């Protein structure tokens, strides 16, 4: 089998941002996917697989996490 594909989504309204690409030639598959996590960091995974060595993945996280600040009301007695 032989194939190749790529797709991506970039929805700034829902913050759904991701992409993936993969190709196969015989029993060798290689590809990657990348997505923006809810904390604002980006996770990128590059992977390969074949009949002899199995599946291997390298995961890289980049960027700085941003956590929204939650303000709680202050009650006075």
């Amino acid at each position: 089998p032989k194939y190749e594909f790529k797709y991506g989504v970039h929805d700034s309204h829902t913050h759904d941002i991701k992409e993936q690409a993969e190709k196969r030639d015989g029993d060798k598959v290689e590809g990657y996917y990348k997505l923006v996590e809810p904390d604002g960091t980006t996770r990128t995974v590059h992977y390969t697989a074949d009949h002899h060595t199995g599946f291997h993945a390298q995961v890289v996280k980049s960027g700085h996490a941003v956590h929204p600040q939650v303000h709680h009301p202050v009650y006075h007695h």
Side-chain angles (χ1 to χ4, degrees):
K2 189 172 187 175
Y3 66 81
E4 187 169 346
F5 73 86
K6 183 175 184 177
Y7 79 92
V9 174
H10 190 110
D11 186 336
S12 56
H13 178 71
T14 63
H15 303 288
D16 186 14
I17 302 169
K18 58 190 167 201
E19 63 184 71
Q20 180 180 5
E22 183 176 287
K23 63 181 176 178
R24 177 177 182 172
D25 189 0
D27 74 340
K28 184 175 182 180
V29 177
E30 59 184 63
Y32 78 94
Y33 69 87
K34 180 185 222 180
L35 61 104
V36 176
E37 301 274 17
D39 67 0
T41 58
T42 300
R43 179 177 15 141
T44 305
V45 179
H46 289 271
Y47 59 89
T48 60
D50 64 46
H51 181 70
H52 301 288
T53 62
F55 179 80
H56 298 276
Q58 178 188 19
V59 180
V60 176
K61 196 163 193 162
S62 58
H64 298 286
V66 177
H67 301 283
Q69 292 188 359
V70 178
H71 299 282
H72 299 284
V74 177
Y75 297 101
H76 299 282
H77 295 334

